Each structure stands twice: as structure tokens, then as C-alpha cells.
Amino acid sequence: MVSARNIQLVQGDITEQETDVVVNAANSSLLGGGGVDGAIHRKGGPEILADCRALRASKYGRGLPTGQAVATTAGRLPAKWVVHTVGPVWSKDEDRSDLLAACHSNSLQVADSLGAKTIAFPAISTGIFRWPVKSAAEIALTTVLATETSSITAVRFVLFDAAAFEVFNDALTELLRE
């Protein structure tokens, strides 16, 4: 299990992370898109798209369901693998927190099954899916700390801007106090 001292927060570009696994906040088609998904596909190159197409042709013909996770090559990224997960769209009328938590726990389980030691997460669902960053940070950090793994030794959250970094830092500080 990952402890709080094995969690790193960095402000930066997830496509530049030298970790075993980079988590992609994918769209359900697995065929690329905007935000983190588009950046990973663009920088990772055609190998990632080829693996995603193979997944669509076999197991995920209707797309990857929200909260589930699946691995592909990392192509030209400095990571070894990309774990794709589809985050939920935030709703003020329906609590979808369990789906956001599942994105994190399932990504960790897939990475663990690959024998990965290090994994980098973006702030899943906080972009176009409009999940409030404070809530996303609390769910992500709590879930990572509660998910049992055998090979993961370090979890990095890569936050694109200073505002998200601050929110995740505050959430981690609060968890460390508990």
C-alpha cells in the first residue's frame, strides 16, 4: 500500500513524466481527444493509437466504461505504459464520486498487474468534465492511500497549473494531519 510520504505532487506536463505508468484521462472511445488525452496521444505517437484500436476491436467495441482502466504501450513517451481510464462528468444532481474513485483504484490495479513501481496521475475529470478540483483531489488522494498494491512504490500527481497544485497540496496536507 502506498503511504502519504510516497505521494508526490508536481506542477508540469504529464507527457514528460519518467514513471513506469502514466495515467490518461481518456475519453471512452480510446481514440484520443482533447486535454490530457490529446496530449498523450500526440506526444506518444501512433503506437498508442494502434493499441487502443486493437482494444476497441476486441474487448471494448462500445468503448471503455467510466471508471474502468486498461493499459497500452506508451509509444514515444518516457513512461513504459499508459493506463487509460475514463473519468465521470461532474453532476450537481448525482453523486458520481464512486466512479472517480474507481478511476484511481482501477488504474493502480492495472499498473500493479504490470509490475509497475511508479505511476503518474493527472487531475482526472477536472478539465472538460468540470469536476471541482478540491473534491477531485480529496477523492484521488484518499483512494490512492486506501488501494492495496504489491509493486507500486511511488504515486505522482502531475498538476497542469499552479491553482490545481495548490488545491492538491492543501488536500494532501489535510490528509497528513488526520
Side-chain angles (χ1 to χ4, degrees):
M1 186 177 306
V2 174
S3 72
R5 62 183 176 273
N6 298 88
I7 294 178
Q8 306 165 347
L9 304 177
V10 298
Q11 183 181 339
D13 181 347
I14 197 155
T15 67
E16 296 176 358
Q17 301 306 303
E18 294 184 17
T19 52
D20 293 332
V21 169
V22 168
V23 176
N24 180 19
N27 68 47
S28 64
S29 76
L30 294 174
L31 302 178
V36 169
D37 194 21
I40 284 174
H41 275 271
R42 279 189 304 278
K43 191 160 184 180
E47 298 88 354
I48 296 173
L49 183 57
D51 275 6
C52 286
R53 283 189 173 139
L55 286 166
R56 285 296 305 263
S58 60
K59 189 172 180 180
Y60 299 104
R62 293 184 173 188
L64 185 65
T66 301
Q68 291 191 17
V70 64
T72 66
T73 181
R76 299 179 192 144
L77 297 175
K80 295 177 185 173
W81 300 282
V82 174
V83 170
H84 306 265
T85 189
V86 180
V89 175
W90 184 79
S91 169
K92 64 179 179 174
D93 301 320
E94 179 184 350
D95 183 8
R96 298 176 181 166
S97 300
D98 59 331
L99 290 171
L100 186 56
C103 289
H104 294 86
S105 60
N106 289 332
S107 293
L108 284 166
Q109 294 302 320
V110 169
D112 203 41
S113 74
L114 295 168
K117 294 188 181 319
T118 57
I119 184 170
F121 282 96
I124 298 170
S125 288
T126 63
I128 195 167
F129 288 174
R130 302 178 324 274
W131 201 285
V133 178
K134 184 177 188 306
S135 171
E138 292 166 353
I139 291 166
L141 292 164
T142 301
T143 302
V144 164
L145 289 170
T147 302
E148 298 223 12
T149 62
S150 57
S151 66
I152 304 293
T153 59
V155 175
R156 184 178 305 159
F157 285 92
V158 183
L159 296 315
F160 188 71
D161 61 29
F165 178 87
E166 277 302 312
V167 172
F168 268 75
N169 191 52
D170 290 348
L172 183 57
T173 300
E174 188 61 33
L175 279 172
L176 293 173
R177 283 189 197 132
E178 293 176 0

